[in-house]
């Protein structure tokens, strides 16, 4: 006969509701600080006060401190003993080149695994490409009437650009490639910050995505690999030219 297990008063059951709530708060704080950094409202090298950020966000210092630890792992912020956190310096030309090389290794492997692509996945990729085209057209319309491109416009474009790549990564048959690529994503944003959010290559990027899409749609895996490699080599060349 099985004896019922009785709770141990010395070891109270965890409050899962409170744990989830705290994690949601931490993630929300992380997203808010990340947005602050990507928008460029805090310049490279500037100090990031945990207490000041907590007051600004209306939270206690604890979730801010936890978020800063996460951000340190992305390379967007740095921490020095007795000096606290600072916004990381812009990426050097060498680091930019290494970053795009890493993306190329991951994404060429991903497109190789994604071809042949199912009809449903191909429709998803075509929709992502259409969104990217529309975001690029919007950028050009804004730039035609203004010398500066606002962060919401920039964010919309880069979100659409990444969404195209993410569909391929999601359907490549290797979840670790997607995880690794998403781990590089904050550094890619950091590279864009280093370039001042110029958005000078929207036409080239859209055209290159179109070549990748066409190759995938025809089931030509070698052509798709070559197109992805050419696209990312183009990204590297244009980035280094602007740095």
């Amino acid at each position: 006969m099985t004896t019922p297990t009785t709770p141990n008063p010395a070891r109270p059951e965890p409050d899962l509701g409170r744990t989830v709530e705290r994690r949601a708060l931490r993630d929300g704080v992380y997203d808010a600080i990340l947005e602050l950094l990507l928008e460029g409202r805090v310049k490279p090298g500037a100090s990031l006060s945990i207490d000041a950020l907590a007051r600004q966000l209306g939270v206690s210092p604890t979730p801010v401190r936890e978020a800063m630890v996460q951000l340190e792992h992305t390379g967007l912020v740095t921490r020095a003993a007795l000096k606290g956190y600072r916004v990381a310096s812009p990426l050097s030309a060498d680091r930019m080149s290494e970053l795009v090389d890493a993306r190329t290794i991951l994404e060429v492997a991903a497109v190789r695994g994604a071809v042949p692509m199912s009809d449903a996945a191909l429709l998803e990729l075509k929709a992502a490409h259409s969104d990217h085209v529309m975001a690029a057209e919007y950028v050009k319309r804004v730039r035609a009437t203004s010398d500066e491109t606002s962060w919401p416009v920039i964010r919309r474009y880069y979100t659409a650009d990444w969404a195209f790549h993410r569909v391929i990564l999601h359907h490549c048959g290797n979840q670790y490639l997607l995880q690794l690529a998403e781990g590089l994503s904050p550094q890619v944003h950091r590279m864009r910050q280093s370039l001042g959010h110029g958005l000078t290559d929207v036409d080239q990027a859209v055209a290159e995505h179109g070549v990748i899409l066409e190759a995938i749609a025809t089931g030509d895996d070698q052509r798709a690999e070559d197109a992805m490699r050419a696209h990312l080599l183009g990204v590297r060349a244009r980035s280094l030219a602007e740095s």
Side-chain angles (χ1 to χ4, degrees):
M1 178 176 173
T2 303
T3 303
T5 302
T6 56
N8 183 348
R11 296 179 60 186
E13 293 294 319
D15 186 340
L16 296 181
R18 183 174 298 175
T19 300
V20 170
E21 182 180 347
R22 179 177 175 181
R23 183 175 299 141
L25 176 61
R26 181 194 63 200
D27 292 346
V29 169
Y30 174 90
D31 290 343
I33 299 174
L34 179 62
E35 187 79 0
L36 182 75
L37 296 172
L38 297 181
E39 191 172 349
R41 281 187 279 156
V42 187
K43 301 302 180 184
S47 176
L48 292 166
S49 166
I50 288 176
D51 290 338
L53 286 169
R55 288 193 299 271
Q56 182 178 343
L57 297 173
V59 298
S60 72
T62 299
V64 175
R65 191 173 293 108
E66 292 172 345
M68 296 301 284
V69 171
Q70 284 183 276
L71 287 164
E72 186 180 5
H73 291 316
T74 70
L76 291 175
V77 303
T78 60
R79 182 178 180 276
L82 305 179
K83 294 184 179 180
Y85 290 97
R86 291 184 178 277
V87 181
S89 301
L91 288 176
S92 66
D94 285 345
R95 297 292 84 78
M96 285 186 195
S97 183
E98 290 173 2
L99 177 59
V100 179
D101 284 348
R103 281 192 66 191
T104 302
I105 292 169
L106 292 173
E107 298 201 42
V108 168
V111 80
R112 183 186 308 129
V115 179
M117 185 173 274
S118 70
D119 291 343
L122 186 57
L123 285 174
E124 189 179 345
L125 187 62
K126 288 179 178 178
H129 181 57
S130 295
D131 288 344
H132 186 213
V133 171
M134 288 189 290
E137 290 300 321
Y138 185 55
V139 166
K140 290 190 287 185
R141 289 200 302 272
V142 170
R143 287 172 58 191
T145 59
S146 174
D147 293 333
E148 290 191 18
T149 309
S150 67
W151 169 242
V153 175
I154 294 167
R155 178 175 54 194
R156 174 182 171 181
Y157 175 80
Y158 283 139
T159 298
D161 182 294
W162 168 239
F164 178 85
H165 289 266
R166 197 179 188 284
V167 172
I168 297 170
L169 286 155
H170 183 70
H171 293 285
C172 74
N174 188 328
Q175 63 177 335
Y176 296 106
L177 290 177
L178 175 58
Q179 290 176 11
L180 289 167
E182 288 185 327
L184 290 178
S185 183
Q187 290 292 351
V188 174
H189 285 302
R190 186 178 170 209
M191 182 177 80
R192 289 163 175 165
Q193 281 184 314
S194 301
L195 301 176
H197 300 220
L199 290 182
T200 58
D201 68 339
V202 295
D203 288 330
Q204 295 98 318
V206 166
E208 289 160 3
H209 280 194
V211 175
I212 296 168
L213 173 59
E214 183 181 352
I216 292 175
T218 60
D220 190 334
D221 56 351
Q222 186 57 58
R223 186 181 169 207
E225 285 183 44
D226 293 343
M228 180 63 78
R229 185 178 292 106
H231 168 50
L232 291 170
L233 287 174
V235 169
R236 182 173 68 178
R238 294 189 293 268
S239 299
L240 293 177
E242 292 181 36
S243 64

